[in-house]
């Protein structure tokens, strides 16, 4: 069952757009928070694959939230390249939004990026807050939403069940020709995982045994085939609020893309 609603509010120069997508049964609560207990199931390759190995390395995480009604979507992409440091090192947070909108916040400083090797959790501090700035430069794990806001001025944190971020267009040092079309983006939403890859009791590697062989890089894993997202995304001067919106997630990692793919 789908219920859609659209509301505009002119306060403080921000337009608010609200959507809801509900299944039959109890409604999803509008308030959400990071749950340290994690999701009810976890796929293989959920954790961070970098272990200090030499050579080129990248890992990227992709989430999509689809707003019912006009089928607009937001795609959030977090990535790290060469965590050891070097010419190609960098961390990026990209968001693609309605009407082919795009924003990138990029930094060559990989020292403030963190990711968990045992579970799906990662984050980055691009800029610390003015309050307690010294302590803000080392996070190393998921924070409660209020503490993240207090400690991180620009950055993000993401897990299997919770996302939060605040970025501005900052493209210096990034490769490629995509340019930001919005100046800022903020978000906070939780995800209820409903399906991963394979039976709930036995989640599977998307590529099977091929994921163990570097010749088949970049590797690929579906992390969330279907979930429901509840929360909000501020996209420039527009705020999108959603409840139980369809969500999807996957990741790639490895030494790089084969030249013939590019």
């Amino acid at each position: 069952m789908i219920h859609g609603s659209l509301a505009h509010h002119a306060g403080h120069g921000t337009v608010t757009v609200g959507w809801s997508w509900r299944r039959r049964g109890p409604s999803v609560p509008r308030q959400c928070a990071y749950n340290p207990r994690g999701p009810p199931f976890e796929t293989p390759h959920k954790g961070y694959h970098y272990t200090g190995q030499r050579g080129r390395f990248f890992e990227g995480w992709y989430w999509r939230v689809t707003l019912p009604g006009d089928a607009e979507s937001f795609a959030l992409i977090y990535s790290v390249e060469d965590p050891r440091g070097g010419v190609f090192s960098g961390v990026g947070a990209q968001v693609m939004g309605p009407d082919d909108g795009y924003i990138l916040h990029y930094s060559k400083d990989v020292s403030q990026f963190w990711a968990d090797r045992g579970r799906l959790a990662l984050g980055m501090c691009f800029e610390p807050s003015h309050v307690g700035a010294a302590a803000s430069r080392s996070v190393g794990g998921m924070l409660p939403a209020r503490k993240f806001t207090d400690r991180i001025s620009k950055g993000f944190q993401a897990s299997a069940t919770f996302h939060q971020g605040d970025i501005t267009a900052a493209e210096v040092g990034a490769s490629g020709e995509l340019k930001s079309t919005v100046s800022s983006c903020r978000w906070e939403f939780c995800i209820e995982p409903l399906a991963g890859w394979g039976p709930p009791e036995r989640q599977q590697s998307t590529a099977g045994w091929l994921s163990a062989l570097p010749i088949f890089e970049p590797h690929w894993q579906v992390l969330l085939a279907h979930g429901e997202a509840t929360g909000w995304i501020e996209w420039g001067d527009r705020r999108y609020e959603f409840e139980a919106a369809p969500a999807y997630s996957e990741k790639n990692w490895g030494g790089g893309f084969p030249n013939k793919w590019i």
Side-chain angles (χ1 to χ4, degrees), residues 63-89:
W63 274 269
R64 184 183 69 238
V65 176
T66 301
L67 306 180
D70 56 4
E72 292 281 16
S73 296
F74 282 96
L76 296 93
I77 305 170
Y78 314 119
S79 61
V80 60
E81 295 180 79
D82 293 352
R84 288 179 61 92
V87 176
F88 300 103
S89 294

Side-chain angles (χ1 to χ4, degrees), residues 96-252:
M96 300 177 184
D99 302 319
D100 295 323
Y102 176 77
I103 185 172
L104 166 65
H105 197 135
Y106 182 82
S107 174
K108 297 290 290 181
D109 181 6
V110 295
S111 66
Q112 301 307 311
F113 174 82
W114 67 268
D116 196 305
R117 294 193 182 112
R119 62 193 179 113
L120 179 54
L122 60 141
M124 173 68 180
C125 174
F126 290 117
E127 298 177 16
S129 65
H130 295 294
V131 179
S136 298
R137 295 299 289 174
S138 297
V139 178
M142 295 292 295
L143 297 173
R146 185 182 296 273
K147 184 174 288 188
F148 177 89
T149 301
D150 290 342
R151 294 179 61 178
I152 308 298
S153 174
K154 300 302 173 190
F156 64 86
Q157 61 175 354
S159 74
T161 59
F162 186 71
H163 285 248
Q164 185 177 9
D166 187 336
I167 62 174
T168 54
E171 302 152 343
V172 176
S175 60
E177 299 180 358
L178 284 175
K179 298 299 180 183
S180 299
T181 62
V182 295
S183 60
S184 64
C185 182
R186 298 175 62 237
W187 61 93
E188 185 176 320
F189 59 88
C190 56
I191 293 179
E192 179 186 0
L194 299 176
W197 189 263
E201 67 279 3
R202 188 179 180 183
Q203 292 291 286
Q204 300 173 357
S205 173
T206 306
W209 60 268
L210 298 179
S211 295
L213 301 177
I215 193 174
F216 292 105
E217 292 181 350
H219 300 302
W220 171 56
Q221 175 69 43
V222 173
L223 300 168
L224 180 71
H226 178 54
E228 293 183 342
T230 297
W232 53 267
I233 298 175
E234 289 185 358
W235 186 242
D237 61 356
R238 296 174 69 87
R239 180 182 173 99
Y240 293 81
E241 297 178 349
F242 44 91
E243 184 175 357
Y248 169 85
S249 177
E250 63 181 48
K251 69 183 296 187
N252 294 98

Side-chain angles (χ1 to χ4, degrees), residues 16-98:
T16 300
V17 182
W19 293 108
S20 66
W21 170 298
R22 290 198 179 96
R23 298 170 295 164
R24 295 184 183 275
S27 63
V28 178
R30 289 187 177 274
Q31 298 298 321
C32 66
Y34 170 60
N35 182 359
R37 291 178 298 177
F41 57 82
E42 295 181 302
T43 65
H45 303 295
K46 58 187 177 296
Y48 187 36
H49 287 79
Y50 180 69
T51 59
Q53 60 265 40
R54 296 182 179 276
R56 299 297 310 279
F57 178 85
F58 84 97
E59 194 150 350
W61 298 260
Y62 170 92
W63 274 269
R64 184 183 69 238
V65 176
T66 301
L67 306 180
D70 56 4
E72 292 281 16
S73 296
F74 282 96
L76 296 93
I77 305 170
Y78 314 119
S79 61
V80 60
E81 295 180 79
D82 293 352
R84 288 179 61 92
V87 176
F88 300 103
S89 294
V91 179
Q94 305 173 73
V95 183
M96 300 177 184

